[in-house]
Amino acid sequence: MALINDHFLKLTKNYLFADIAKKVNIFKATNPKANIISLGIGDVTQPLAPAVLEAMHKAVDEMGSSETFRGYGPEQGYDFLREAIIKNDFAPRGVKLDPSEVFVNDGAKSDTGNIQELVRWDNSVGVADPIYPVYIDSNIMIGRAGINQDGRWSNITYLPCNEQNDFVPSIPDHKVDIVYLCYPNNPTGTVITKEELKKWVDYAIKNDVLIFYDAAYESYIQDDKIPHSIYEIRGAKKVAIEFHSYSKTAGFTGVRCGYTVVPKELTVAALDGTRYQLNPLWERRQCTKFNGTSYISQRGAEAIYSPEGKKQVKEVIDYYMTNAKIMREALVGCGFKVYGGEHAPYLWVKTPNGETSWRFFEQMLYSAHVVCTPGVGFGPAGEGYIRLTSFGNRENCEEAIDRIKKWLM
Ligand SMILES: *Cc1c(COP(=O)(O)O)cnc(C)c1O
């Protein structure tokens, strides 16, 4: 008899976007003339950069000729891309990596979900709250999250990020073995300074804690004092695995490519105290369960690092960040407390008068016909906030802001 992995049965359905759609649809049915604008979109909207397209077209042509056809590639990614990553994303920031420490993937979601296979099921986990749901859900699936009590998992330590701590969690006061951090952050759009990140790295070194660091939004950072990589902090290679993605950087949400860094200096103890590198384990895991992302995608990713590619990708990021700036300034002008939106495509807006996230979501929908995402959908510490994204087009952002202003007047 086959028995099910019943940890999957513990997963609570993520109703957030379904619930939003339901409320929007009901409103549409009763107000068919309303022109609803969504500032809730979590996907990029601008097309791929011409340099990327050109590289991908060329790669497709290579696939069509027997001399240049490519079959299975290296599971860890082609050297041309691994080398371009090190040369462009790390060397200029003083971070030395070897290509064998960079694993190209099909986007950061798979690896942020899969990485926990490398550590025992009974490690305790700390997550910044609010968060990207993949971190907790992947731990539930393997039985590491414990039991759900009132929407919180017993073996997960929630590290609240709020106005009091500038959206950087405090070091936990009890033992955790693994910590997930994401900066620039989704959903709050906030960043971490080198000083604050150093506290986490020092804590991890001292207490033998493993950090999973999600840097999916690093290309939105506008100020070079803010760390793009945790490895900018001395000693971080001993304790951290880092995830990158071309999804938000270069509009690759539909192309699929990213990479994970597993430094050779990083070791984790076995029960008998012997320490092992995670790098060869991840290599083995990838070679067994993953067959690489497509050659065409990897050539497209490589093109992001060409001089034209860099310029074109930056133009798109600037477009989204101008949207963010327009929305941020207008909302601050309306008296809202707004966080994020300066180094990330997300604005985290405090609801006025202590209203709940859902109540404010409804008011904005009914009065301004603008859709946002209720912050509580990203974790308990998100209550009392809403998330706006700057991934829409300029006209919609401006129109939405005008309506919000009129609604509040
Ligand atoms: C969008 C996003 C990712 C990237 O996902 P892909 O699988 O690379 O498309 C990773 N982490 C966070 C927090 C994200 O918001």
Side-chain angles (χ1 to χ4, degrees), residues 107-110 132 135 182 186 214 216-217 245 247-248 256 346:
K109 189 188 225 176
S110 330
Y132 182 57
Y135 314 148
C182 172
N186 177 13
D214 188 342
Y217 294 93
S245 165
S247 284
K248 317 302 169 16
R256 311 307 302 148
Y346 300 118

Side-chain angles (χ1 to χ4, degrees), residues 49-61 299-300 303 308 312:
V52 169
L53 283 186
E54 198 185 307
M56 289 175 72
H57 278 298
K58 192 165 157 256
V60 169
D61 288 339
R299 281 295 184 198
E308 318 79 69
Q312 293 161 1

Side-chain angles (χ1 to χ4, degrees), residues 26-86:
I26 292 172
F27 181 74
K28 269 189 194 157
T30 43
N31 300 271
K33 289 214 193 79
N35 162 23
I36 293 168
I37 296 177
S38 177
L39 296 182
I41 348 170
D43 195 356
V44 293
T45 55
Q46 301 300 304
L48 294 173
V52 169
L53 283 186
E54 198 185 307
M56 289 175 72
H57 278 298
K58 192 165 157 256
V60 169
D61 288 339
E62 285 177 43
M63 289 301 216
S65 142
S66 53
E67 288 84 62
T68 48
F69 169 77
R70 309 249 184 167
Y72 289 125
E75 289 91 343
Q76 310 83 346
Y78 284 100
D79 280 340
F80 63 78
L81 181 54
R82 297 168 102 186
E83 278 157 16
I85 288 167
I86 293 172

Side-chain angles (χ1 to χ4, degrees), residues 334-401:
C334 290
F336 285 104
K337 274 195 162 169
V338 184
Y339 300 92
E342 290 174 313
H343 307 284
Y346 300 118
L347 274 71
W348 192 240
V349 183
K350 196 166 162 67
T351 63
N353 312 319
E355 275 160 24
T356 66
S357 298
W358 276 111
R359 175 92 186 95
F360 191 66
F361 163 89
E362 285 169 354
Q363 290 172 342
M364 197 186 268
L365 172 63
Y366 301 158
S367 312
H369 305 173
V370 172
V371 177
C372 62
T373 313
V376 69
F378 300 100
E383 181 57 285
Y385 294 89
I386 55 133
R387 188 190 75 172
L388 301 178
T389 80
S390 62
F391 286 135
N393 64 42
R394 181 71 40 80
E395 302 78 75
N396 279 349
C397 282
E398 286 170 343
E399 167 74 15
I401 287 299

Side-chain angles (χ1 to χ4, degrees), residues 34-216:
N35 162 23
I36 293 168
I37 296 177
S38 177
L39 296 182
I41 348 170
D43 195 356
V44 293
T45 55
Q46 301 300 304
L48 294 173
V52 169
L53 283 186
E54 198 185 307
M56 289 175 72
H57 278 298
K58 192 165 157 256
V60 169
D61 288 339
E62 285 177 43
M63 289 301 216
S65 142
S66 53
E67 288 84 62
T68 48
F69 169 77
R70 309 249 184 167
Y72 289 125
E75 289 91 343
Q76 310 83 346
Y78 284 100
D79 280 340
F80 63 78
L81 181 54
R82 297 168 102 186
E83 278 157 16
I85 288 167
I86 293 172
K87 187 167 158 232
N88 292 281
D89 287 347
F90 295 98
R93 307 204 161 95
V95 179
K96 287 204 187 75
L97 288 174
D98 185 78
S100 61
E101 297 174 297
V102 176
F103 296 84
V104 175
N105 59 27
D106 63 354
K109 189 188 225 176
S110 330
D111 285 6
T112 50
N114 292 330
I115 198 75
Q116 44 74 33
E117 289 179 19
L118 300 187
V119 286
R120 276 174 61 106
W121 66 273
D122 51 358
N123 283 286
S124 63
V125 179
V127 290
D129 168 32
I131 54 134
Y132 182 57
V134 175
Y135 314 148
I136 292 185
D137 285 356
S138 56
N139 279 290
I140 298 171
M141 289 173 178
I142 201 137
R144 199 179 283 118
I147 47 172
N148 192 318
Q149 294 157 325
D150 304 324
R152 287 166 187 257
W153 294 90
S154 58
N155 196 31
I156 302 249
T157 298
Y158 292 77
L159 305 166
C161 298
N162 50 39
E163 288 170 286
Q164 285 75 40
N165 58 24
D166 255 336
F167 300 91
V168 173
S170 317
I171 304 284
D173 52 10
H174 60 277
K175 188 174 116 44
V176 298
D177 303 307
I178 299 164
V179 171
Y180 287 84
L181 296 174
C182 172
Y183 287 102
N185 186 260
N186 177 13
T188 66
T190 55
V191 289
I192 191 165
T193 61
K194 278 195 182 152
E195 293 68 39
E196 286 295 323
L197 190 53
K198 183 174 184 312
K199 285 185 198 163
W200 277 96
V201 171
D202 291 348
Y203 155 77
I205 293 172
K206 192 157 167 247
N207 297 280
D208 203 0
V209 172
L210 177 60
I211 298 178
F212 293 145
Y213 195 77
D214 188 342

